[in-house]
Amino acid sequence: MPGSHPAASRAPFPEAAAASTQDAQLRGNLRHATHTIRAKRAKAVAELDDWGALRAAGAAIKDRTLRHLDHYLERLEESVTRAGGTVHWAVDAAEANRIVTRLVQDTGEREVVKVKSMATQEIGLNEALAEAGISAYETDLAELIVQLGDDLPSHILVPAIHRNRGEIRDIFRERMAAWGRPAPDGLGDEPRELAEAARLHLREKFLSAKVGISGANFMVADTGTLVVVESEGNGRMCLTLPETLISVVGIEKIVPTWQDLEVFLQLLPRSSTAERMNPYTSTWTGTADGDGPRDFHLVLLDNGRTDTLADRVGRQALRCIR
């Protein structure tokens, strides 16, 4: 788990855990944040009488899809290609990094903006791009905080949950200028001020970047549609403004139809961020003249997922909708 000393967070887990659990500020940050999130989730879930049935439906859809994963992946490739996109298959992290790096290099650009970065964190894409002289800028607010702090994400949904707002203010003051637009003079620790500082900093990146890199929450096999759900709107900027969009997505993110997607769009907001409806749900299918990126590439990532699928117990992890 990342702590207040980034270097320690890259130590072996037993060493990093021993140091982090002695950090009183870190423990306090996590206790406050996780208790708040769990209480809000419980309240949001309790509003639905059929929550258990929704969860069961989601599990059944996932199980059926995973049993026939090869069929749905082939259908997805056909749908994406028909819509004007290009599909690439990556057996592991190294191959995925080579594909994405080459695609960025082919554009001639040296900077990219990123959103929904869990899969790209899994494969170490930012580091691979940096070795090729390409700078990657995280645009999700929490991921931005982690990146500016030379840190690592600490939570599957709230990557900067280990930071309080005073620490975030200090990170913005000290590090923003090295990455682009500096933090405003006299920046305080009020959430409104911090959000505005991030908004101003990121807006310059969005308006200048020619290449975007994303993950996806879901892929719809029937239509070749990708889906990103988020709370800030930064993702939509990253998905629509660049000329080239490259999406790196684990093969387990697939659902067969839009009707199946409906179940998960009810489950995900309440279970993750305790919202009745997700504030921003962006969908895109291939390319369209005059609307969004001119080139779309989908990198389908295995990286051990096929091996996990073969494990009767382990395959349950592939149900996870993050």
Side-chain angles (χ1 to χ4, degrees):
M1 176 181 294
S4 56
H5 304 290
S9 66
R10 289 162 173 78
F13 179 78
E15 298 175 21
S20 296
T21 52
Q22 300 304 312
D23 187 332
Q25 181 67 67
L26 175 64
R27 290 165 65 98
N29 294 349
L30 288 171
R31 185 182 307 109
H32 172 74
T34 54
H35 285 195
T36 299
I37 290 171
R38 289 180 65 85
K40 289 174 62 179
R41 179 192 181 277
K43 182 178 179 181
V45 165
E47 293 177 350
L48 295 184
D49 294 334
D50 63 345
W51 181 253
L54 272 174
R55 281 176 55 99
I61 292 168
K62 276 288 189 177
D63 286 345
R64 184 185 77 240
T65 306
L66 290 170
R67 282 197 301 270
H68 306 285
L69 188 58
D70 54 345
H71 166 72
Y72 289 117
L73 286 171
E74 290 178 357
R75 183 187 297 180
L76 175 71
E77 181 180 33
E78 293 171 0
S79 299
V80 170
T81 303
R82 186 168 56 249
T86 304
V87 176
H88 310 263
W89 299 81
V91 68
D92 56 19
E95 185 172 18
N97 287 335
R98 285 196 299 270
I99 292 169
V100 176
T101 300
R102 175 178 55 79
L103 290 172
V104 177
Q105 289 173 330
D106 287 347
T107 69
E109 296 295 319
R110 312 303 293 177
E111 294 185 351
V112 301
V113 290
K114 294 178 71 241
V115 72
K116 285 289 171 187
S117 293
M118 190 176 295
T120 61
Q121 286 165 353
E122 173 188 330
I123 63 176
L125 178 61
N126 286 9
E127 293 78 7
L129 291 173
E131 290 180 5
I134 299 166
S135 299
Y137 298 101
E138 300 292 348
T139 64
D140 174 89
L141 178 55
E143 297 284 2
L144 173 67
I145 293 165
V146 168
Q147 185 176 53
L148 292 177
D150 189 27
D151 209 342
L152 291 173
S154 59
H155 191 279
I156 196 170
L157 296 172
V158 197
I161 197 173
H162 57 292
R163 297 291 193 182
N164 63 30
R165 62 193 196 185
E167 292 173 310
I168 295 169
R169 174 204 59 209
D170 293 342
I171 289 171
F172 282 8
R173 284 177 174 178
E174 296 168 9
R175 300 298 304 277
M176 267 189 170
W179 289 78
R181 179 172 179 146
D185 292 337
L187 177 66
D189 65 358
E190 288 300 313
R192 179 186 58 80
E193 292 183 73
L194 296 172
E196 181 64 14
R199 183 178 297 113
L200 293 171
H201 177 82
L202 289 171
R203 188 56 57 94
E204 289 191 352
K205 301 297 183 189
F206 289 133
L207 294 177
S208 63
K210 298 292 192 300
V211 181
I213 296 176
S214 84
N217 293 95
F218 306 101
M219 304 179 291
V220 183
D222 271 0
T223 60
T225 302
L226 272 70
V227 184
V228 160
V229 297
E230 42 139 355
S231 300
E232 302 165 13
N234 294 344
R236 185 163 294 176
M237 301 281 279
C238 186
L239 296 167
T240 58
L241 292 178
E243 296 174 0
T244 299
L245 175 60
I246 305 165
S247 297
V248 182
V249 190
I251 57 175
E252 84 283 9
K253 294 290 189 179
I254 195 168
V255 295
T257 69
W258 277 79
Q259 186 175 5
D260 298 317
L261 177 65
E262 176 190 359
V263 174
F264 295 105
L265 291 182
Q266 294 179 73
L267 283 168
L268 189 148
R270 289 179 188 267
S271 192
S272 60
T273 52
E275 294 167 300
R276 295 182 179 92
M277 180 182 291
N278 202 71
Y280 293 90
T281 300
S282 300
T283 68
W284 69 99
T285 307
T287 60
D289 292 339
D291 182 17
R294 294 199 301 262
D295 296 300
F296 170 57
H297 298 270
L298 171 59
V299 181
L300 291 170
L301 177 66
D302 188 322
N303 204 34
R305 287 161 173 79
T306 299
D307 291 339
T308 301
L309 183 60
D311 185 322
R312 284 178 173 265
V313 176
R315 72 178 61 162
Q316 296 177 59
L318 299 178
R319 288 178 176 176
C320 182
I321 59 174
R322 311 293 194 271

